[in-house]
Amino acid sequence: MTTAVPGYVPPVSRATFRRTAIAGVALAIVVVAVCVPLGYGLFALFGCVGIALGIINSAFAMGSVVRFSHGSATPSKAKFSGGVLLRLAVITVVAFGCALLVRPYGIAVFGGLAVFQLLATVSSILPLIKEIRQK
């Protein structure tokens, strides 16, 4: 059994997060560049808010896993689950708040979140595909 170093994040996890965050920012720039000239600036803004919420959630999730894995001798599953639920609840409240308070533009927050999740899924599959091709 190997001893984990506190605060250590495997390189593949850091690379996946970095790749996803960069793709999210690049996509946000493209969305702004396309939507603003067409008169959909607020849709672009709220789409970018959704992408930003996805990036923030991903960063906090990675930090939460690191804290859970390097916590005390017996990490608390209840504390970890509570942190996950709190993080997702905050994101949900922000997204619904935008959607309800800034109609119809705020609904784009959900689009941004969905696009970020798609990017995160594709980005996390890339190392697996690369490893399978090497065999």
Side-chain angles (χ1 to χ4, degrees):
M1 183 172 164
T2 60
T3 305
V5 178
Y8 174 75
V9 178
V12 69
S13 297
R14 284 193 310 261
T16 299
F17 172 73
R18 186 174 43 251
R19 185 174 38 248
T20 306
I22 290 169
V25 170
L27 185 62
I29 291 169
V30 169
V31 165
V32 169
V34 169
C35 290
V36 169
L38 294 174
Y40 296 107
L42 286 176
F43 279 115
L45 172 70
F46 285 107
C48 291
V49 168
I51 291 172
L53 285 173
I55 292 171
I56 291 167
N57 180 48
S58 187
F60 282 154
M62 194 166 43
S64 179
V65 169
V66 167
R67 281 191 304 281
F68 179 76
S69 64
H70 300 299
S72 60
T74 55
S76 169
K77 290 180 184 177
K79 187 175 178 182
F80 179 74
S81 299
V84 169
L85 289 175
L86 178 65
R87 190 175 65 248
L88 293 178
V90 168
I91 289 170
T92 303
V93 166
V94 170
F96 271 113
C98 289
L100 293 174
L101 296 174
V102 190
R103 289 186 199 171
Y105 310 108
I107 198 74
V109 170
F110 289 105
L113 282 166
V115 166
F116 181 81
Q117 288 305 314
L118 179 65
L119 288 174
T121 301
V122 169
S123 183
S124 61
I125 290 173
L126 290 177
L128 178 63
I129 291 172
K130 188 183 290 185
E131 184 176 328
I132 290 172
R133 285 187 176 176
Q134 289 177 352
K135 292 185 178 192

